[in-house]
Amino acid sequence: MKKNIYDVFEAHFPENTDATFIETDDGSQYSYAFLAEESARLARFLTDAGITKGDRVAVQVDKSAEVIFLYLACLRAGFVYLPLNTAYTESELSYFLENAQPSAVICRPPSEAFFHTRKNTQLIQVFTLACDGHSGSLVENSRSSEAEFETVASDADDLAVILYTSGTTGRPKGAMITHGNLAANGLALQAAWQWQQQDVLLHALPIFHIHGLFVACHNVLLGGSKMLFVNKFDTKTMLQLLPKSTVMMGVPTFYTRLLDDKDFNQDVCRNIRLFISGSAPLLEQTFNDFKTRSGHTILERYGMTETGMNTSNPVTGERLAGTVGLPLPGVSTRIVDENNQPLAGGVGALQVKGANVFKGYWNMPEKTAEEFTDDGYFMTGDLAELTPQGYIRIVGRNKDMIITGGYNVYPKEIELLLDEVKGIKESAVIGLPHKDFGEAVTAVVVVEPGQTIATDDAIIAELKQQLASYKAPKKIIVVPELERNAMGKVQKNRLREQYFKLYNS
Ligand code: AMP
């Protein structure tokens, strides 16, 4: 690929560029023609402000259509787009600035003063963008710039985006994602999910993460289709917009929240052709309940910041609950033992290879080398196994695996059984330090509203009928809810910190 990813998008725009690209919840419509014009204007403005190809542009702003035009402008100009979670604090931001050394920052107006104090020889420009997407110095100052810009030629290997990974261990690492990575993965998904111009995507995800930015927006751009842009998930708004949509992408929490609303039914989903879930495991229970209520079989897919999407359940063909489907075209996957040898069966470490896999961690060559095998596979850190049909089932994160009395325990196996226990709504199984066992299997559970659960001993006895004793939890902790991050992932590291001394106080 000798092309800037923007050129690839442009080649897929609808013939009639007056067609809507984004419709926001205040009813504003932005056409493909406007996208081309506004991204050109912003690319021209930022280039004239002294930002050059390869420079990082850090962006910490609220979701609005303008952010997507800014993202596209950065791609067109060859800048490296660096989206930052709006929840990051000043101390976290200081780390990102230090590590990524951006040349420009686009931030919310209240953060402007902070970023100005961080200006240095590298960071030369700070602009603001308000949550409405219409005000702030970026929009105001760029208004007088010509909407003319020739998209910069980029190689497949040129950086397009740096995305910091959640960093549950150690400091966050900046994943370097290239124009070639984005094109390979975008085109593979567009074909796999049969994206078309008539499609209307209901987009309620954050746009500082691969799910909302790449998976969602790139499919729309490559389909030449439209998206309904909602700033954040709100069940009532979703219920209003679902009948106007053909595809919804969400984290599993979106699906459980829809199910919690009595007004969610088949009629609301009458125009939907695809419900897609990812970023965190979708419970089989949710998959089944959703099918019963809506008549739709959720399509679950699996990916990560470093790789984009790796596997997907099929659009035509069987979608299996609790699995993430088959490798996407162009992606090789394998499940290996601790010596990187492919396993004939059972649980092992999942590794992937393909044009979708990132270039490495920004300024961390050693860390990058550690995560790749000699034959070029990326170690995802996820544990997986194959179902009899050859579908991949994610069993958990490597670091979440519990070693108790020398035995390996995969939390997912116990969580699935706990979720079936009467009165338990959901669960997270963690390992906590224990002087005899090394780690003790511990369950943290949420009880269904208005229900009670049996005693710990009774639940543990029930589990032991189906599990080897060493896998059964030693204790069960009841919490009002499981803390999740913006992408719906249960924050197991927080639980481990909180209950660190449970057995060894
Ligand atoms: P992130 O880089 O923040 O997107 O996180 C990627 C991680 O999310 C993966 O390595 C998995 O552990 C998890 N993940 C993503 N999609 C799924 C899925 N469908 N099922 C289970 N885990 C998932």
Side-chain angles (χ1 to χ4, degrees), residues 413 417 420-421 460-468 471:
E413 187 184 357
L417 292 174
E420 296 294 313
V421 169
I460 293 167
E462 185 182 333
L463 293 178
K464 281 188 179 167
Q465 289 176 5
Q466 300 170 73
L467 284 175
K471 295 184 186 172

Side-chain angles (χ1 to χ4, degrees), residues 164-166 209-211 277-282 300-306 309 323-324 380-382 394 396-397 412 485 487 489:
Y164 280 87
T165 59
S166 324
H209 184 269
I210 50 161
H211 196 167
S277 176
S279 286
L282 179 76
E300 186 170 6
R301 91 309 178 267
Y302 156 80
M304 62 195 303
T305 305
E306 289 91 334
M309 297 303 104
T323 80
V324 294
T380 62
D382 288 312
I394 304 292
R397 293 288 295 162
K412 185 74 184 259
N485 70 8
M487 298 318 297
K489 292 187 221 295

